[in-house]
């Protein structure tokens, strides 16, 4: 009971959003989307009322709301659109909006790299495959989603866990005042970011990547190399003489 | 202009954007005339000569025709994406220009800035990020047209642009290492401060060649215009487009060529620097105008080179195109980066970079000739036996 008093509204918001998304998902037969939209908006409104609003420069706030709102909206449109090509394009817009949020957090290089890798290459490959696979128009089984309830419940349980973690008091604002004085206000508010030479410059990013996280970077690079060698080894049909 | 510094900087930014937009659009229209005249000259024709003296009013007539012609939207297209595609094409290429310094930034008159977004630490990475989105215009245009030729064109384009982004990005890594920054302004002032021998082309000739080739492929121009080659695909991804939407695709392409030429001039040929008349220290009255003209002349030379290449080198076959990116340009760019790293790490003279670049070029040539010779020998063998050696019997 105590838990419900503390977290009831949050749970209600999550349930409403999950129901709304469930109702919005494309099904085998078309029907009105009003109910789903209403539920999703109600849940989002409660969540907005619960979550602390960012404080800072007016330009920062406006940009934050712009990017965040378009990321969420495009995300919903991505999973609810009937046409795979449109879904891929909404995904590209989600990536761009998220990159805008990265920029607001002084992570310019991360934003640019994400655009190059995701929006510029991976989604282009998706489109490539979709266009090759669907020359005769979209097939019936591509037009509605499968396991709607299971997917919604799973996603929103994960989302709730993430929110609960973010809102818990396990993250003290343990930032020494001399460090908090030099970094940007948008960064200082973020209790989870541990900045390192926080000037947002590429030099400090490089020093961090190839100094503090050298083993992780090398390990990731090796894994990617192994994966690409594996892909090259699997891809060609040997009987046809390539490789 | 204004007392408030914030308002003043906003006004200067807006003015610079207006100047850049007007400049690029005006240049685009006259580049089309230049291209037609150059093509005519190279093919021993006269070219457009009816509108105005020597045809100088031809671009204006073309523009009016583009605007006034009936705007046909075919019945079978995906209407939203069909209309959005050309705008993406123009928007991304224009956005890339915002971090390119098009004049002496530190000597700019107070009402103009010569760069839209100054002090961008990201610089080149931003340009690559934005131009990597330009492929959406082509892909969506081809897909939304609902036409087999358009779809084939956009499939080719997506493979080509995604592949050539890699050598494009890797070729300038060496320069970024030499200058210790990705900021275009800093790269330019560094080169200008060390005189004509400080131009990057002396130390990174191979990187310059790779960059130019990859950028040419990115802008989908001949000899890399596989996405729209007329003999095979009618018009490629823009077969179904007419009037201003067709023109938007071409404005996008020409803007890409202009941006590329600016990048080549700024990265490899010292930007606005020229010995004696436009040194870093020259501050005589009107020096900024001279520097602007020097940079414009370098850019124009680069554009003319691109246009002359169009009628000089025949179009690649698609497998040759992919082979050039993955088997030639990417390994060469990687080797170049390793060379720069060695020189910087061991503190050797920068002239070793030049020698190393030439050696790499020669090595690539020898390997290439050997490979093509063995391929030709293989082909002879096929003809002799009527049997491909690549396919094992049974």
């Amino acid at each position: 009971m105590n838990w419900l008093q503390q977290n009831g509204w949050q749970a209600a918001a999550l349930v409403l959003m999950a129901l709304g998304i469930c109702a919005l998902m494309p099904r085998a037969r078309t029907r009105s989307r009003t109910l789903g939209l209403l539920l999703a908006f109600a849940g989002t409104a409660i969540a907005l009322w619960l979550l602390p609003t960012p404080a800072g420069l007016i330009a920062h706030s406006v940009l934050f709301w712009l990017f965040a709102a378009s990321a969420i909206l495009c995300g919903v449109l991505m999973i609810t659109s009937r046409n795979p090509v449109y879904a891929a394009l909404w995904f590209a817009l989600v990536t761009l909006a998220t990159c805008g949020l990265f920029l607001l957090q002084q992570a310019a290089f991360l934003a640019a790299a994400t655009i190059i890798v995701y929006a510029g290459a991976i989604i282009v490959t998706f489109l490539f495959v979709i266009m090759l696979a669907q020359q005769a128009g979209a097939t019936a089984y591509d037009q509605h989603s499968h396991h709607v309830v299971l997917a919604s419940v799973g996603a929103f349980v994960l989302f709730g866990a993430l929110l609960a973690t973010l809102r818990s008091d396990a993250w003290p604002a343990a930032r020494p005042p001399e460090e908090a004085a030099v970094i940007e206000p948008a960064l200082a508010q973020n209790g989870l970011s541990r900045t390192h030479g926080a000037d947002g410059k590429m030099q400090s990013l490089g020093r961090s990547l190839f100094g503090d996280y050298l083993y992780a970077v090398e390990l990731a690079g090796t894994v990617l190399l192994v994966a690409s060698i594996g892909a090259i080894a699997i891809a060609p049909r040997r009987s046809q003489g390539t490789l | 202009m204004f007392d408030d510094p914030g308002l003043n900087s906003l006004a200067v930014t807006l003015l610079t954007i207006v100047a850049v937009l007007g400049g690029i659009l005006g240049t685009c229209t006259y580049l089309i005339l230049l291209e037609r005249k150059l093509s005519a000259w190279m093919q021993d024709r006269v070219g457009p000569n009816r509108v105005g003296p020597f045809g100088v009013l031809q671009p204006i007539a073309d523009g009016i025709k583009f605007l006034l012609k009936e705007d046909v939207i075919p019945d079978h297209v995906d209407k939203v994406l069909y209309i959005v595609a050309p705008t993406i094409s123009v928007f991304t290429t224009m956005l890339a220009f915002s971090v390119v310094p098009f004049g002496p930034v530190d000597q700019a008159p107070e009402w103009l800035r010569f760069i839209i977004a100054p002090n961008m630490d990201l610089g080149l990475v931003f340009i690559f990020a934005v131009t990597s989105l330009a492929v959406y215009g082509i892909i969506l245009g081809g897909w939304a047209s609902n036409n087999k030729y358009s779809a084939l064109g956009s499939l080719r384009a997506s493979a080509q642009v995604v592949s050539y982004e890699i050598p494009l990005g890797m070729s300038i890594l060496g320069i970024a290492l030499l200058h210790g920054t990705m900021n275009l302004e800093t790269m330019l002032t560094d080169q200008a401060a060390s005189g004509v021998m400080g131009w990057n082309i002396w130390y990174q000739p191979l990187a310059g060649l790779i960059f130019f080739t990859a950028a040419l492929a990115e802008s989908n121009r001949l000899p890399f215009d596989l996405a729209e080659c007329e003999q095979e695909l009618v018009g490629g991804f823009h077969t179904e487009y007419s009037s201003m939407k067709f023109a938007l695709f071409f404005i996008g392409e020409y803007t890409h060529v202009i941006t590329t030429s600016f990048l080549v001039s700024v990265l490899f040929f010292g930007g606005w620097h020229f010995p004696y008349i436009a040194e870093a220290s020259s501050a005589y009255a009107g020096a900024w105008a001279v520097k602007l003209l020097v940079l414009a002349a370098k850019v124009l030379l680069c554009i003319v080179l691109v246009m002359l290449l169009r009628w000089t080198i025949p179009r690649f076959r698609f497998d040759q195109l992919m082979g050039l990116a993955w088997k030639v340009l990417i390994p060469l760019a990687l080797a170049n980066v390793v060379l720069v790293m060695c020189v910087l790490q061991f503190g050797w003279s920068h002239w070793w970079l030049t020698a190393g670049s030439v050696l790499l070029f020669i090595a690539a040539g020898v390997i290439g000739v050997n490979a093509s010779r063995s391929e030709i020998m293989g082909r002879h063998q096929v003809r002799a036996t009527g049997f491909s050696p690549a396919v094992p019997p049974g």
Side-chain angles (χ1 to χ4, degrees):
Chain A
M1 214 53 210
N2 196 16
W3 181 88
L4 205 62
Q5 270 171 359
Q6 277 178 358
N7 298 306
W9 281 110
Q10 202 168 320
L14 284 175
V15 169
L16 277 180
M17 280 196 270
L19 284 177
I21 294 293
C22 239
L24 277 176
M25 288 287 207
R27 300 293 177 84
R29 58 197 167 78
T30 47
R31 55 188 171 157
S32 164
R33 295 190 159 192
T34 326
L35 180 71
L37 276 178
L38 277 179
L39 284 173
F41 272 119
T44 319
I46 298 176
L48 277 183
W49 170 61
L50 286 173
L51 291 172
T53 50
L57 295 170
I58 177 93
H60 260 256
S61 309
V62 169
L63 285 175
F64 171 79
W65 287 115
L66 205 69
F67 287 135
S70 47
I72 294 173
L73 191 71
C74 295
V76 171
L77 284 169
M78 173 189 123
I79 54 173
T80 56
S81 74
R82 233 169 240 284
N83 190 332
V85 171
Y86 276 86
L89 289 177
W90 289 123
F91 184 31
L93 281 182
V94 173
T95 315
L96 289 185
T98 316
C99 288
L101 290 176
F102 287 161
L103 271 182
L104 287 184
Q105 295 287 330
Q106 307 287 310
F109 182 78
L110 186 63
T114 311
I115 291 181
I116 293 176
V117 173
Y118 276 90
I122 292 184
I123 301 176
V124 170
T125 321
F126 285 177
L127 280 175
F128 195 95
V129 173
I130 292 170
M131 289 194 300
L132 275 181
Q134 303 209 328
Q135 282 164 340
T139 43
Y141 51 84
D142 271 342
Q143 298 216 348
H144 61 93
S145 39
H146 307 267
H147 306 300
V148 172
V149 179
L150 207 61
S152 307
V153 170
F156 276 91
V157 164
L158 276 179
F159 184 41
L162 194 67
L163 268 187
T165 319
L166 286 175
R167 281 171 65 84
S168 73
D169 301 327
W171 306 96
R175 198 185 293 282
E178 69 271 11
E179 189 189 332
V182 291
I183 59 178
E184 294 277 329
L187 252 168
Q189 281 169 21
N190 191 342
L192 299 186
S193 74
R194 289 282 173 274
T195 47
H196 188 84
D199 49 3
K201 289 247 161 71
M202 276 172 66
Q203 274 94 346
S204 44
L205 178 81
R207 212 154 273 154
S208 201
L209 269 183
F210 295 103
D212 306 343
Y213 303 105
L214 179 67
Y215 290 115
V217 170
E218 293 291 332
L219 199 66
T222 316
V223 169
L224 282 177
L225 182 68
V226 170
S228 53
I229 292 175
I232 293 171
I234 292 171
R237 298 181 191 143
R238 274 154 214 274
S239 59
Q240 293 183 2
T242 43
L243 199 81
Chain B
M1 273 191 289
F2 297 103
D3 293 332
D4 183 6
L7 206 60
N8 199 15
S9 120
L10 187 69
V12 170
T13 309
L14 286 179
L15 205 64
T16 314
I17 291 176
V18 169
V20 167
L21 260 184
I24 285 187
L25 288 179
T27 319
C28 276
T29 51
Y30 272 89
L31 281 185
I32 294 173
L33 180 71
L34 178 70
E35 172 140 41
R36 291 174 70 178
K37 281 281 184 192
L38 271 177
S39 311
W41 173 63
M42 289 183 78
Q43 297 166 352
D44 204 11
R45 293 186 283 118
V46 179
N49 66 345
R50 293 287 124 179
V51 194
F54 308 108
V56 287
L57 297 180
Q58 182 71 40
I60 295 167
D62 286 348
I64 292 171
K65 189 183 172 191
F66 272 134
L67 284 171
L68 297 183
K69 240 183 110 162
E70 186 191 355
D71 192 11
V72 182
I73 297 182
D75 206 26
H76 52 268
V77 299
D78 185 321
K79 219 168 251 172
V80 180
L81 294 184
Y82 180 81
I83 294 173
V84 164
T87 60
I88 295 178
S89 211
V90 176
F91 168 73
T92 48
T93 43
M94 291 268 180
L95 197 59
F97 202 81
S98 59
V99 295
V100 177
F102 54 94
V105 177
D106 50 340
Q107 286 184 338
E110 63 175 15
W111 44 270
L112 203 63
R113 205 191 283 132
F114 290 145
I115 183 168
I116 293 174
N119 287 326
M120 186 109 165
D121 195 43
L122 220 52
L124 277 169
V125 188
F126 174 81
I127 293 182
F128 292 144
V130 171
T131 49
S132 74
L133 297 178
V135 68
Y136 279 101
I138 297 175
I139 291 190
L140 295 183
W143 183 79
S145 296
N146 197 5
N147 171 330
K148 285 203 179 86
Y149 293 115
S150 305
L152 278 176
S154 60
L155 281 179
R156 285 180 175 188
S158 54
Q160 174 182 339
V161 173
V162 169
S163 302
Y164 274 87
E165 253 162 39
I166 303 169
L168 188 75
M170 265 203 262
S171 61
I172 52 97
L173 272 186
I175 295 181
L177 281 173
L178 283 176
H179 289 280
T181 179
M182 284 280 189
N183 189 333
L184 282 168
E185 293 168 72
T186 320
M187 288 182 180
L188 205 167
T189 42
D190 270 9
Q191 291 179 63
S194 44
V196 70
M197 279 300 148
W199 291 7
N200 278 326
I201 191 68
W202 307 123
Y203 307 114
Q204 293 278 286
L206 187 63
L209 192 66
I210 296 171
F211 181 84
F212 184 70
T213 315
L216 206 62
E218 286 275 292
S219 60
N220 276 318
R221 284 187 59 87
L222 245 136
F224 299 106
D225 72 335
L226 271 292
E228 48 185 289
C229 54
E230 288 81 3
Q231 292 85 347
E232 298 166 23
L233 296 180
V234 191
F237 62 93
H238 54 64
T239 305
E240 300 279 351
Y241 282 87
S242 60
S243 75
M244 202 59 205
K245 288 201 278 300
F246 174 79
L248 281 181
F249 272 126
F250 270 79
I251 291 175
E253 184 180 315
Y254 277 95
T255 312
H256 203 136
V257 172
I258 295 174
T259 311
T260 301
S261 306
F262 263 104
L263 282 180
V264 169
S265 313
V266 167
L267 287 175
F268 293 99
F269 291 94
W272 42 257
H273 176 267
F274 200 80
Y276 304 117
I277 59 167
E279 297 276 4
S281 55
S282 57
Y284 51 88
W288 64 269
V290 172
K291 290 178 179 177
L292 201 63
L293 284 180
V294 167
L295 183 56
K298 286 181 186 174
V299 171
L300 188 67
L301 274 179
C302 190
I303 292 176
V304 168
L305 178 66
V306 169
M307 288 180 175
L308 292 183
L309 274 179
R310 174 173 177 175
W311 299 112
T312 309
I313 304 178
R315 182 183 296 131
F316 283 86
R317 222 168 50 209
F318 198 73
D319 61 321
Q320 291 171 333
L321 182 86
M322 286 291 141
L324 181 68
W326 290 97
K327 295 182 192 159
V328 181
L329 294 185
I330 292 176
L332 275 182
L334 264 179
N336 184 51
V337 172
V338 173
L339 182 69
V340 175
M341 283 198 264
C342 288
V343 167
L344 285 180
Q345 178 65 36
F346 299 116
W348 297 335
S349 159
H350 279 193
W351 288 111
W352 284 108
L353 288 174
T354 321
S357 290
V358 173
L359 271 180
L360 278 177
F361 187 76
I362 293 172
V366 170
I367 294 174
V369 166
N370 275 331
S372 63
R373 182 183 295 157
S374 66
E375 190 194 343
I376 291 167
M377 296 298 275
R379 219 180 288 156
H380 278 298
Q381 209 176 340
V382 175
R383 204 171 294 150
T385 59
F387 188 79
S388 167
V391 181

